[in-house]
Amino acid sequence: MSSNSTDFSHGEDLTLAHRLADAADAITLKRYQALDLTVTTKPDNTPVTDADKSSEEAIRALLHAHRPNDGIVGEEFGSQGLEQNRYWVIDPIDGTKNFVRGVPTWATLIALIERYSDGTQKTIVSVVSAPALFRRWSAHLGGGAFVTINHETTKRIHVSGVSKIEDASISYSDFTGWGSMLEPFKSLLSAAWRTRAYGDFWSHMLVAEGALEVAAEPTLALWDMAALDLIVTEAGGVFSNTSGIPGPHGGNGLSTNAALHSYVVEQLRK
Ligand code: IPD
Ligand code: CA
Ligand code: CA
């Protein structure tokens, strides 16, 4: 079996991404609120559970079986095959602190990135699966963004048309990690119509759904952002880092409804 980029359509890769998410959901849901959940602390002082590890292992096993020539970057088990022109990016549980405490805002993030001969790369398939919220978001490049509710109803999603900060709703995770951007960020919050820290992937998916206009986080890894990037952009929004560099490679993440993007980047630079 080979897996050159030409071998699979985006639709076939998206179907596989849903299968990976199904496998992850079966594991994570079973371990969510389990009394014997094993929680250990990683060297970066963040928690990891047996569910994070088992979820990533299950996804990797399916990828080895179905896309043996693709690379993989996963939060818990590192990177392999990055010389390939396609690689999957996996966050087996985004929101592990929520998972551990019984807060249902956690998700498995799955993305497929393709590299081009000019050195650029693009996320071409994404699934964000939040089974404890009964929601799954998905997209493939050029195909629009969708949310499936309770495994039943799938609907296309779009960002909002709000164009003034005084009418906008902003979400974030918390005030840690902002450094010198904290004061500009707080000023931005005070100019908005509404602010709430919904946190993690959830803020960004709410931007894609048009329920919020801005989601920002100051310190993120590729696996925190790759899946969010495509869903937000396919919903008509913009995903960049806080300096406005598009895509999920910039060390932090800013999703907007597009209309407010340059305004927000400018405010954060102040
Ligand atoms: C965390 C979430 C959170 C962000 C942290 C990440 P994890 O991921 O993405 O929103 O603020 O920096 O580490 O550890 O729960 O996968
Ligand atoms: Ca994460
Ligand atoms: Ca994680």
Side-chain angles (χ1 to χ4, degrees):
M1 204 186 301
S2 78
S3 72
N4 294 315
S5 55
T6 47
D7 289 346
F8 300 102
S9 68
H10 291 175
E12 287 171 317
D13 285 322
L14 182 59
T15 300
L16 177 62
H18 279 295
R19 280 186 66 190
L20 305 180
D22 291 343
D25 287 359
I27 291 164
T28 52
L29 269 182
K30 211 166 158 195
R31 299 302 291 148
Y32 180 52
Q33 297 184 307
L35 295 178
D36 62 344
L37 186 73
T38 308
V39 185
T40 51
T41 302
K42 294 197 279 191
D44 67 357
N45 212 23
T46 62
V48 61
T49 72
D50 58 89
D52 295 72
K53 292 178 188 168
S54 306
S55 165
E56 187 169 324
E57 279 168 341
I59 291 170
R60 282 174 180 269
L62 284 167
L63 286 174
H64 287 312
H66 296 282
R67 298 291 187 274
N69 297 329
D70 289 355
I72 306 180
V73 177
E75 179 176 10
E76 308 306 340
F77 296 106
S79 307
Q80 287 89 39
L82 286 192
E83 68 285 0
Q84 304 298 336
N85 61 358
R86 294 156 41 106
Y87 60 97
W88 296 79
V89 182
I90 311 299
D91 186 343
I93 298 180
D94 184 55
T96 297
K97 287 178 181 166
N98 287 343
F99 186 89
V100 164
R101 293 297 306 271
V103 177
T105 316
W106 51 267
T108 297
L109 314 184
I110 297 165
L112 173 60
I113 294 182
E114 197 162 72
R115 276 185 233 279
Y116 304 102
S117 49
D118 64 1
T120 59
Q121 0 187 355
K122 255 189 192 151
T123 309
I124 58 169
V125 161
S126 286
V127 171
V128 169
S129 190
L133 295 175
F134 302 97
R135 272 174 166 67
R136 182 182 288 186
W137 297 265
S138 60
H140 70 75
L141 190 63
F146 296 85
V147 63
T148 302
I149 298 164
N150 208 16
H151 299 282
E152 283 166 7
T153 320
T154 297
K155 56 178 188 176
R156 193 161 181 175
I157 54 174
H158 298 277
V159 295
S160 80
V162 170
S163 59
K164 291 185 188 152
I165 193 66
E166 56 268 32
D167 298 327
S169 197
I170 302 184
S171 179
Y172 55 101
S173 283
D174 54 37
F175 287 138
T176 57
W178 286 91
S180 61
M181 251 190 319
L182 183 59
E183 288 315 314
F185 182 57
K186 283 185 173 171
S187 301
L188 179 72
L189 293 181
S190 62
W193 172 67
R194 191 165 194 261
T195 65
R196 283 289 184 276
Y198 298 112
D200 307 290
F201 69 94
W202 181 234
S203 305
H204 302 267
M205 295 301 92
L206 289 171
V207 171
E209 289 191 17
L212 304 176
E213 281 67 49
V214 180
E217 291 187 83
T219 314
L220 294 177
L222 176 62
W223 49 76
D224 297 312
M225 298 188 276
L228 312 180
D229 169 25
L230 184 65
I231 292 166
V232 169
T233 51
E234 284 295 329
V238 175
F239 189 94
S240 75
N241 71 358
T242 52
S243 307
I245 298 167
H249 301 277
N252 54 37
L254 171 66
S255 296
T256 74
N257 68 342
L260 283 164
H261 206 82
S262 50
Y263 174 82
V264 172
V265 169
E266 203 179 296
Q267 296 307 304
L268 291 177
R269 275 205 193 116
K270 281 188 173 168

